[in-house]
Amino acid sequence: MPDYHDDLRLAHVLADAADAATMDRFRALDLKVETKPDMTPVTEADKAAEELIRTSLSRARPRDAVLGEEYGSEGRGSRRWIIDPIDGTKNYVRGVPVWATLIALMERGPGGDRPVVGVVSAPALGRRWWAAEGRGAYSGRSLSSAARLRVSGVSRLADASFAYSSLAGWEERGRLPDFLRLSREVWRTRAYGDFWPYMMVAEGSVDICAEPRLSLWDMAANAVIVQEAGGRFTGLDGRDGVHGGNAAASNGLLHSELLHHLGG
């Protein structure tokens, strides 16, 4: 099995740089915000963080390809870094501390490209989560000061905590009745949003989560962390991986029931 320790250390260095850039502009009164063609916001901090990461990668991993939310795809090869400089930009703009930089490394294998390293860094929350394939998932302040993550052992839907981002996406796809039916069968629901539900699944404080529309940069880092914590990460169609444009994540024990309600 490949050893991704050096790649994981690099991802932490990249996250440190991004944290400094994003925190420097968080809640700034003169923060510059633009609207992208898809009508979602982008800030100067999004762009600055991605530029920092790309510049560092061009020096440290010049042969690797890069895909980022703000500046697209660059390079070709069997290894590709996936960057979401600020996941939760709407929160960032409004001064809500629930946002994070997502950094993942994907590698080509017999079954296609898969995420093998992931770091999710939420500096305004003072939290960071990470994982590398075959090495487990962790949370803490640094590689040397961390606690291993493990998904929950909840096996009944009636005892499960279900997290999501919003109702709008489900309604737009005509799936809101399915969503509401599931919400009535679980113990509780909470709209934590963005990266956070997946990290909660990984650390066992939430049991299932799902989103109907996502991009690769929204999923890659989250997926490897959930999987290395013992959970499952698939598309709503049940296929493993991060290429379906949507996601279902769970502790594994409840995955079939989650897909039964929201899959297809």
Side-chain angles (χ1 to χ4, degrees):
M1 179 176 291
D3 184 352
Y4 297 105
H5 183 69
D6 287 345
D7 294 309
L8 182 59
R9 291 184 66 87
L10 173 60
H12 275 274
V13 171
L14 300 175
D16 289 342
D19 286 355
T22 53
M23 286 300 292
D24 182 62
R25 300 300 293 155
F26 183 49
R27 292 177 174 161
L29 296 179
D30 60 344
L31 180 71
K32 296 177 182 178
V33 184
E34 302 171 10
T35 301
K36 295 190 287 188
D38 64 0
M39 302 308 294
T40 60
V42 58
T43 72
E44 59 183 284
D46 291 83
K47 294 179 178 180
E50 185 167 326
E51 287 172 348
L52 279 171
I53 294 170
R54 284 176 176 270
T55 299
S56 295
L57 285 172
S58 69
R59 293 195 295 262
R61 296 290 188 275
R63 296 184 180 180
D64 292 353
V66 181
L67 171 66
E69 180 177 9
E70 308 308 335
Y71 294 106
S73 184
E74 180 181 359
R76 309 176 80 174
S78 61
R79 289 165 47 98
R80 182 168 57 155
W81 293 86
I82 312 297
I83 306 163
D84 190 343
I86 298 180
D87 183 47
T89 298
K90 292 177 182 178
N91 282 346
Y92 186 90
V93 168
R94 292 299 300 271
V96 178
V98 183
W99 50 270
T101 295
L102 279 55
I103 301 169
L105 172 64
M106 297 189 69
E107 191 167 72
R108 191 165 303 148
D113 291 357
R114 71 193 191 284
V116 295
V117 169
V119 171
V120 172
S121 190
L125 294 176
R127 299 293 308 277
R128 184 177 290 187
W129 303 261
W130 64 87
E133 187 177 78
R135 299 179 63 90
Y138 297 85
S139 179
R141 294 184 176 275
S142 68
L143 283 167
S144 60
S145 177
R148 186 153 189 172
L149 302 180
R150 178 57 56 182
V151 296
S152 76
V154 173
S155 59
R156 291 186 347 118
L157 207 57
D159 299 325
S161 181
F162 172 37
Y164 61 98
S165 285
S166 72
L167 299 179
W170 300 102
E171 186 172 27
E172 289 168 3
R173 285 156 185 76
R175 303 300 302 277
L176 187 57
D178 297 331
F179 178 94
L180 294 175
R181 192 174 301 113
L182 173 60
S183 71
R184 295 185 189 105
E185 293 195 24
V186 299
W187 170 56
R188 75 194 300 243
T189 61
R190 287 292 183 273
Y192 297 108
D194 302 305
F195 68 95
W196 211 3
Y198 303 97
M199 299 303 96
M200 290 182 173
V201 168
E203 61 192 18
S205 53
V206 160
D207 310 300
I208 55 176
C209 67
E211 289 183 87
R213 183 178 63 184
L214 292 170
S215 297
L216 181 58
W217 47 75
D218 298 313
M219 295 186 280
N222 293 334
V224 65
I225 293 171
V226 168
Q227 291 166 342
E228 286 296 317
R232 281 198 69 190
F233 191 105
T234 72
L236 292 173
D237 60 3
R239 289 185 294 176
D240 291 318
V242 293
H243 301 288
N246 49 52
S250 77
N251 62 5
L253 300 173
L254 296 169
H255 209 79
S256 294
E257 291 183 85
L258 174 60
L259 296 176
H260 173 73
H261 283 81
L262 300 180

